[in-house]
């Protein structure tokens, strides 16, 4: 592959090439101090997180990455639209960066917004190899703000990524300390009756599934811009200012529910793309997603940025304050959610279809009836109420009194988010594109991707097949493909397509938002469409590090296209 | 079955296994590059304990395993050994080397070789087993053994963990051995040989890697096996107080 040729091509592609931004990045072993523990990790330019890279839309980025590790590395520019050889996925886009080697990434910046970068090699990303990207648009932004902070969240664990993966493979519940106990049984029996509680436990035990399978890696310390809750990352403001906060979830495994008690947040961007502003009290940020919000702060006092994990096993905390050292009250973690029958529906359906013939013993009659209904579509809520109804009445589920429904969760799901102050919680259905990037047209075909797994073995897959055994998904340049995600597991999966936009179907036609990560909750079906406009070979995977590593990963090959560079080598 | 051919077959079997698993190793190198992981290893001592019986007998007991492999195929070494303090000798010393592969959503089949080298007669066996998770979270492990003398027997083990809290765990275990043939030299009688029932209360002190426990174990021998033990002047029924730790690396 001739570098000059690539450079030459860029000059052809961009009639007016601006003088680009240049960065030198080293990949280093670093010490990470979370305030709770100090661990060796991997960072950029001697620190984790690495530097925030700033670009301007339309320029050419040149980034020299020097590998100071004694193992291979790579840098992936998450969410950036670029030639596939620059995408940084070893084994797909390029061979990787050897120890001691310097690799030069060079690509045009074709978009604006908030993104991030991270290693795509081994478990370097959970070990600390990540940083933020901020791209200034060519045109004026459609919203005003006085200050601008990156708020990069992560879930730093005292164990290395390799060790976590090994422990999960040895015992899938190794890190789960939110399991139901004898005490929970007694408490529930007192409330719901002994037999109802026993029936509930036997039902879940019969399926060999756990209501508590919300977070499979617990025990981390949540960080904001590399700082633990006690170290309290602080962003300063002057009263009366509008502050833009660029939330990036760089966690290995953790979804965060984010709020700033006392402030409303206006969401203006999702995954780097402008959305029609929506004001919320709280939002859930999936792994690898980004949300830009604007807060208007009138009072001269401190506010806590509180990001508690979806399973309530940990949190990140920072502060917005008029001066350094000021603090606001830090809320308590809310009660941990439990999965319900509704979250199990996709799994049962799958079992009914694939395992019944093998004489699978675990199916009880209730389960079968519901599986037979075959209902797991988000769009069609009617049938799901049956599931919820049974859950509440028969299975002794304790909460769920008229919860606000979010169509992106199974109806009656234990994961349906609720704002701490009872206010507005952001839903995917609130996201509408500010300016549609693509013309609306009918998809040329639909590809169904079932998100599958076996929690007990800690195996994760797509359509029941793991990465190492799967054929690539082949797309044709110029297609518009509709992807149908069917989550048959009890965990939430943030699905990330490299190189092309994921147009999330929220039922708004051409106003459907552009994203790079689509979070799919248990027992739901979610659709996205992709304009296949980027030739080459791309990665596509669940962004939970250990799910991707266990096989929830695919290669996507885009055939054809005007200027396929590099061939299929 | 002729002893030589049995040993040879076993060797060929183990060699073939190693050859078959080598490509998986090579795969790992490329796997690592693309943020995926293919091969894993683990090392655990499920039980590592000191046993003190109601007749003042003192024993050290270990039950552990090590594995290496992929989701599809694992090499596993299982060890079960009992050290008798009074005789300064291994009362039992069983090593199993098996390959293990999933056969259904919750069950693995295993096959390989068991080598017993306690005091007294040594034995080698072919092993065929099934291990997995039964409904209601019962961990089941069962194996069929055929010795190089042609004697067959089977083991059945089941364990259940009750979470008192998320750190205090009570585990109940039951273990039994049934023989289809008598093997007098190793003290195995036809039919039900013995049962071992235990209950242990552990606390996860350092993640799940170190969990000390205390417990009670009841051991009983039956039928011909009991007769042989009695003839040697041993006890056919024992209550033990145990103290030990579960370890996982
Ligand atoms: Cu996943």
């Amino acid at each position: 592959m001739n570098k000059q040729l690539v450079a030459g091509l860029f000059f052809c592609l961009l009639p007016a090439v601006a003088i680009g931004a240049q960065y030198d990045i080293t990949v280093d072993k670093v010490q990470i101090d979370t305030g709770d523990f100090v661990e060796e990790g991997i960072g950029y330019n001697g620190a984790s997180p690495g530097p925030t890279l700033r670009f301007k839309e339309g320029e050419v980025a040149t980034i020299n990455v020097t590998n100071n590790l004694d193992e291979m590395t790579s840098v992936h520019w998450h969410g950036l639209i670029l030639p596939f050889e620059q995408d940084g996925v070893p084994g797909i886009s390029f061979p990787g960066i050897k120890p001691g080697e310097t690799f030069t990434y060079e690509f045009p910046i074709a978009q604006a917004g908030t993104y991030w970068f991270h290693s795509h090699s081994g478990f370097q990303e959970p070990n600390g190899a990540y940083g933020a990207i901020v791209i200034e648009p060519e045109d004026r932004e459609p919203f005003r703000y006085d200050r601008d902070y990156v708020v990069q969240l992560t879930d730093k664990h005292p164990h290395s990524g390799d060790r976590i993966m090994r422990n999960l493979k040895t015992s899938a519940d190794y890190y789960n300390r939110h399991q139901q106990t004898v005490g929970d049984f007694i408490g529930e029996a007192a409330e719901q009756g002994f037999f109802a509680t026993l029936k509930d436990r036997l039902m879940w035990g019969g399926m060999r599934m756990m209501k508590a399978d919300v977070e499979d890696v617990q025990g981390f310390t949540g960080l904001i811009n590399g700082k633990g809750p006690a170290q309290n990352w602080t962003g300063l403001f002057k009263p009366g200012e509008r502050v833009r906060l660029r939330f990036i979830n760089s966690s290995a495994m953790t979804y965060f529910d984010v709020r700033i008690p006392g402030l409303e947040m206006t969401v203006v961007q999702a995954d780097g793309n402008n959305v029609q502003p929506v004001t919320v009290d709280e939002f859930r940020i999936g792994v690898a997603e980004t949300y830009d919000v604007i807060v208007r702060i009138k009072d001269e006092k401190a506010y806590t940025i509180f990001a508690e994990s979806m399973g309530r096993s940990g949190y990140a905390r920072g502060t917005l304050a008029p001066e350094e050292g000021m603090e606001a009250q830090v809320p308590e973690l809310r009660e941990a959610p439990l999965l319900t029958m509704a979250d199990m529906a996709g799994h049962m359906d799958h079992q009914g279809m694939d395992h019944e013939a093998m004489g699978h013993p675990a199916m009880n009659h209730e389960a079968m009836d519901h599986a037979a209904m075959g209902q797991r579509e988000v769009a069609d809520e009617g049938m799901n109420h049956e599931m919820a109804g049974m859950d509440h009445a028969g299975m002794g589920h304790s909460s769920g009194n008229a919860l606000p429904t979010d169509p992106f969760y199974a109806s009656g799901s234990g994961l349906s988010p609720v704002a701490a102050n009872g206010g507005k919680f952001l839903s995917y259905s609130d996201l509408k594109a500010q300016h549609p990037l693509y013309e609306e047209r009918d998809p040329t075909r639909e590809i169904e991707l079932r998100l599958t797994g076996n929690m007990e073995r800690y195996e994760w897959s797509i359509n029941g097949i793991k990465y190492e055994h799967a054929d690539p998904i082949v797309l044709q340049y110029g297609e518009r493909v509709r992807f149908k995600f069917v989550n048959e597991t009890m965990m939430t999966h943030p699905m990330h397509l490299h190189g092309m936009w994921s147009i999330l179907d929220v039922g708004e036609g051409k106003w459907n938002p552009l994203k790079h990560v689509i979070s799919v909750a248990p027992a739901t079906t979610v659709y996205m469409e992709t304009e296949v406009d980027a030739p080459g070979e791309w990665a596509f995977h669940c962004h939970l590090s250990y799910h991707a590593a266990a096989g929830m990963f695919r290669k996507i090959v885009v055939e054809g296209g005007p200027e396929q560079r590099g061939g299929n080598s | 079955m002729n002893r030589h051919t049995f040993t040879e077959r076993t060797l060929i079997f183990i060699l073939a296994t190693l050859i078959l698993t080598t490509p998986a190793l090579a795969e790992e190198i490329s796997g690592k590059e693309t943020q995926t992981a293919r091969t894993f290893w683990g090392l655990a001592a499920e039980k590592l304990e000191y046993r003190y019986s109601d007749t003042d007998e003192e024993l050290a007991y270990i039950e552990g395993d090590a594995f290496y492999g992929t989701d599809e195929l694992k090499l596993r070494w299982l060890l079960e050994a009992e050290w008798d303090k009074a005789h300064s000798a291994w009362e039992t010393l069983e090593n199993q080397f098996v390959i293990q592969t999933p056969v259904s959503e919750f069950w693995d089949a295993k096959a390989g070789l068991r080598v017993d080298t306690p005091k007294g007669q040594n034995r080698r066996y072919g092993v065929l087993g099934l291990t997995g998770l039964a409904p209601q979270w019962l961990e089941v492990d069962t194996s069929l053994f055929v010795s190089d003398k042609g004697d067959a027997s089977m083991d059945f083990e089941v364990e259940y963990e009750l979470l008192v809290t998320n750190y205090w765990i009570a585990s109940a275990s039951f273990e039994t051995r049934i023989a289809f043939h008598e093997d007098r030299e190793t003290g195995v009688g036809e039919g039900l040989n013995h049962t071992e029932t235990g209950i242990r209360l552990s606390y996860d002190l350092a993640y799940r890697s170190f969990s000390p426990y205390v417990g009670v174990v009841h051991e009983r021998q039956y039928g011909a096996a009991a007769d042989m033990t009695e003839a040697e002047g041993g006890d056919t029924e024992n209550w033990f107080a145990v103290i030990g730790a579960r370890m996982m690396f």
Side-chain angles (χ1 to χ4, degrees):
Chain A
M1 186 66 226
N2 186 329
K3 232 175 246 170
Q4 276 158 349
L5 184 76
V6 174
L9 268 165
F10 289 155
F11 278 90
C12 300
L13 289 170
L14 302 163
V17 176
I19 302 300
Q22 184 162 335
Y23 282 99
D24 294 316
I25 290 179
T26 60
V27 189
D28 309 301
K29 279 203 170 132
V30 298
Q31 293 290 112
I32 298 174
D33 178 5
T34 67
D36 289 337
F37 56 86
V38 182
E39 266 296 304
E40 183 170 270
I42 294 173
Y44 295 118
N45 293 352
S48 171
T52 296
L53 306 184
R54 291 176 188 275
F55 302 110
K56 190 166 165 61
E57 188 180 2
E59 70 182 357
V60 171
T62 307
I63 308 154
N64 304 306
V65 178
T66 303
N67 183 2
N68 290 337
L69 307 175
D70 50 16
E71 61 187 43
M72 295 285 280
T73 195
S74 58
V75 180
H76 164 61
W77 316 100
H78 184 105
L80 296 199
I81 301 301
L82 36 62
F84 84 94
E85 302 91 332
Q86 304 295 315
D87 192 44
V89 182
I92 294 182
S93 332
F94 79 139
I97 309 171
K98 290 195 205 70
E101 191 188 0
T102 299
F103 182 89
T104 300
Y105 288 90
E106 200 170 39
F107 51 86
I109 300 289
Q111 64 208 101
T114 305
Y115 304 90
W116 62 297
F117 62 99
H118 60 83
S119 170
H120 228 286
S121 299
F123 295 107
Q124 292 173 3
E125 179 227 283
N127 291 350
Y130 66 91
I133 296 174
V134 171
I135 308 173
E136 193 191 321
E138 268 174 326
D139 301 331
R140 211 176 60 78
E141 304 219 58
F143 41 82
R144 287 193 306 110
Y145 54 93
D146 308 295
R147 273 170 205 266
D148 182 354
Y149 289 113
V150 165
V151 183
Q152 197 163 20
L153 298 158
T154 195
D155 53 355
K156 183 61 197 157
H157 203 278
H159 289 176
S160 73
D162 276 316
R163 182 165 172 203
I164 291 173
M165 187 75 212
R166 207 160 59 67
N167 284 335
L168 289 169
K169 278 289 179 184
T170 312
S171 156
D173 68 346
Y174 190 97
Y175 293 102
N176 191 342
R177 297 292 187 178
H178 277 174
Q179 297 178 42
Q180 290 189 296
T181 64
V182 174
D184 294 331
F185 183 93
I186 294 168
E188 220 174 292
E191 248 180 66
Q192 321 275 335
F194 176 81
F195 286 104
T197 310
L198 183 67
K199 198 179 156 203
D200 171 72
R201 295 298 195 274
L202 289 174
M203 204 274 300
W204 286 82
M207 304 281 288
R208 287 157 285 193
M209 305 196 76
M210 287 197 293
K211 286 183 187 183
D213 267 343
V214 177
E215 288 176 339
D216 46 19
V217 181
Q218 302 172 4
F220 56 87
T221 294
L223 305 183
I224 288 181
N225 296 334
K227 293 202 162 142
Q231 296 163 332
N232 191 21
W233 174 84
T234 300
L236 299 179
F237 69 88
K238 288 202 186 81
E241 281 183 330
R242 290 166 188 267
V243 182
R244 176 182 191 168
L245 301 171
R246 300 171 183 264
F247 284 96
I248 303 169
N249 188 351
S250 299
S251 294
M253 294 301 279
T254 307
Y255 277 60
F256 285 105
D257 289 348
V258 181
R259 63 188 143 125
I260 309 174
L263 292 179
E264 286 184 323
M265 301 177 281
T266 303
V267 179
V268 294
Q269 240 181 40
D271 289 5
N273 292 288
N274 290 338
V275 294
Q276 297 175 25
V278 49
T279 299
V280 300
D281 295 284
E282 193 170 343
F283 63 90
R284 177 166 293 171
I285 185 166
V287 170
E289 287 184 319
T290 72
Y291 283 107
D292 285 36
V293 309
I294 290 175
V295 291
R296 182 157 196 191
I297 320 179
K298 296 190 190 82
D299 297 332
E300 187 160 359
K301 61 173 203 169
Y303 295 89
T304 295
I305 301 172
F306 193 61
E308 58 188 327
S309 77
M310 179 167 74
R312 312 292 182 243
S313 65
Y315 67 96
R317 169 246 182 168
T319 300
L320 294 173
E323 57 189 89
E324 202 71 51
M326 279 178 78
E327 290 182 37
Q329 202 205 333
V330 180
E332 294 279 303
L333 282 173
R334 283 170 284 181
E335 203 188 322
L338 290 173
L339 300 168
T340 67
M341 281 289 292
D343 299 302
M344 199 197 261
H347 179 85
M348 292 193 303
D349 207 16
H350 165 65
Q351 280 202 322
M353 290 188 301
D354 292 342
H355 291 278
E356 208 202 345
M358 289 160 54
H360 198 278
M363 303 294 293
N364 64 27
H365 285 287
E366 277 155 314
M368 278 307 296
D369 291 342
H370 287 271
M373 281 196 259
Q375 194 40 257
R376 52 188 183 198
E377 305 270 324
V378 166
D380 189 355
E381 279 181 65
M383 302 284 266
N384 269 341
H385 284 296
E386 292 286 338
M387 197 67 77
M390 179 183 64
D391 177 43
H392 292 290
M395 296 300 137
H397 179 59
S398 56
S399 65
N401 303 319
L403 286 175
T405 53
D406 181 324
F408 284 89
Y409 292 86
S411 183
S413 167
L415 298 175
S416 295
V418 181
N421 64 356
K424 169 73 184 158
F425 202 108
L426 181 75
S427 163
Y428 268 0
S429 37
D430 297 321
L431 301 176
K432 292 170 193 70
Q434 178 80 246
H435 295 291
L437 186 62
Y438 297 103
E439 275 192 33
E440 206 196 356
R441 63 160 169 151
D442 286 335
T444 46
R445 62 174 166 141
E446 181 174 294
I447 296 177
E448 182 175 295
L449 299 170
R450 293 180 295 113
L451 308 180
T452 46
N454 180 334
M455 189 63 193
E456 206 41 47
R457 296 185 188 279
Y458 210 80
E459 288 181 11
W460 299 100
S461 50
I462 294 170
N463 294 336
I465 304 168
K466 291 184 291 181
Y467 179 54
E468 61 262 41
H469 302 136
D471 293 327
I473 297 169
V474 179
L475 307 179
Q476 302 301 325
Y477 184 90
E479 279 190 296
R480 182 177 174 115
V481 175
R482 184 169 174 84
F483 288 98
K484 177 185 185 184
F485 294 113
V486 184
N487 190 347
E488 290 180 352
T489 76
M490 297 199 53
M491 298 206 79
T492 312
H493 305 285
M495 302 307 295
H496 172 45
L497 171 63
H498 290 222
M500 289 165 278
W501 289 113
S502 297
I503 307 167
L504 171 64
D505 188 354
V506 298
E508 294 290 335
K510 69 171 181 171
W511 306 104
N512 281 334
L514 292 181
K515 293 186 92 278
H516 47 59
V517 170
I518 304 289
S519 179
V520 189
T524 64
T525 298
V526 174
Y527 296 91
M528 74 167 201
E529 292 184 10
T530 291
E531 282 287 348
V532 183
D533 56 3
E537 302 192 346
W538 303 98
F540 166 69
H541 58 96
C542 172
H543 218 287
L544 301 182
S545 293
Y546 307 99
H547 289 197
M552 204 179 247
F553 200 119
R554 280 292 187 277
K555 177 155 116 176
I556 289 205
V557 177
V558 176
E559 287 181 347
E563 66 271 336
Q564 185 159 4
R565 297 171 291 265
N568 287 326
S569 58
Chain B
M1 197 187 291
N2 176 303
R3 177 174 180 155
H4 272 289
T5 54
F6 177 78
T7 315
E8 276 163 25
R9 276 181 200 169
T10 311
L11 272 173
I12 290 166
F13 177 67
I14 289 171
L15 275 172
T17 307
L18 288 171
I19 291 161
L20 283 171
T21 48
T22 313
L25 266 175
E27 261 183 55
E28 192 206 14
I29 298 156
S30 63
K32 271 267 173 186
E33 289 169 4
T34 51
Q35 210 184 26
T36 61
R38 309 261 169 89
T39 58
F40 308 95
W41 62 273
L43 190 62
E46 252 322 290
K47 300 183 181 99
L48 181 61
E49 65 196 25
Y50 166 78
R51 294 181 171 187
Y52 184 82
S53 85
D54 53 347
T55 54
D56 296 337
E57 203 183 341
E58 289 178 76
L59 298 169
Y61 179 82
I62 182 168
E63 198 183 303
D65 83 294
F67 77 87
Y68 175 79
T70 64
D71 289 337
E72 288 73 32
L73 195 65
K74 283 184 185 70
L75 291 169
R76 194 178 280 270
W77 167 42
L78 299 124
L79 168 72
E80 195 183 332
E82 204 176 82
W83 173 262
D84 182 351
K85 198 188 163 206
H87 298 97
S88 288
W90 294 106
E91 198 64 42
T92 50
L93 185 56
E94 288 183 19
N95 286 284
Q96 289 184 41
F97 304 93
V98 295
I99 56 164
Q100 190 173 319
T101 186
V103 288
S104 77
E105 198 174 348
F106 293 102
W107 296 93
D108 280 5
K110 52 187 186 177
L113 182 69
R114 171 179 141 203
V115 184
D116 283 10
T117 55
K119 69 165 190 189
Q121 285 298 318
N122 296 348
R123 282 285 182 273
R124 271 168 292 188
Y125 303 83
V127 184
L128 211 58
L130 197 65
T131 179
L133 192 68
Q136 307 307 337
W137 307 103
L138 295 171
E139 279 173 57
V140 176
D141 192 338
T142 182
S143 299
L144 179 74
F145 305 105
V146 180
S147 81
D148 47 8
K149 299 241 185 269
D151 302 324
S153 61
M154 69 171 285
D155 262 7
F156 177 80
E157 273 182 60
V158 59
E159 199 174 313
Y160 181 75
E161 285 190 350
L162 188 71
L163 300 190
V164 180
T165 72
N166 265 286
Y167 291 84
W168 285 101
I169 298 167
S171 45
S173 61
F174 175 79
E175 210 180 309
T176 186
R177 184 163 289 176
I178 298 161
F180 303 104
H181 304 99
E182 186 179 274
D183 185 356
R184 282 203 89 82
E185 289 172 351
T186 59
V188 172
E190 201 177 320
L192 179 64
N193 270 259
H194 78 274
T195 56
E196 188 183 302
T197 314
I199 182 146
R200 293 170 179 80
L201 182 67
S202 67
Y203 183 79
D204 289 347
L205 205 59
Y207 289 92
R208 302 205 193 259
S209 11
F210 184 68
S211 314
Y213 61 76
V214 292
V216 185
V217 171
H218 177 245
E219 221 182 57
R220 199 179 152 189
Q221 292 187 323
Y222 303 86
D227 296 343
M228 285 183 250
T229 303
E230 262 173 5
E232 283 176 21
D235 300 314
T236 57
E237 186 173 355
N238 274 312
W239 283 93
F240 293 97
V242 305
I243 180 164
R246 191 172 60 233
M247 286 184 248
M248 214 169 117
F249 303 98

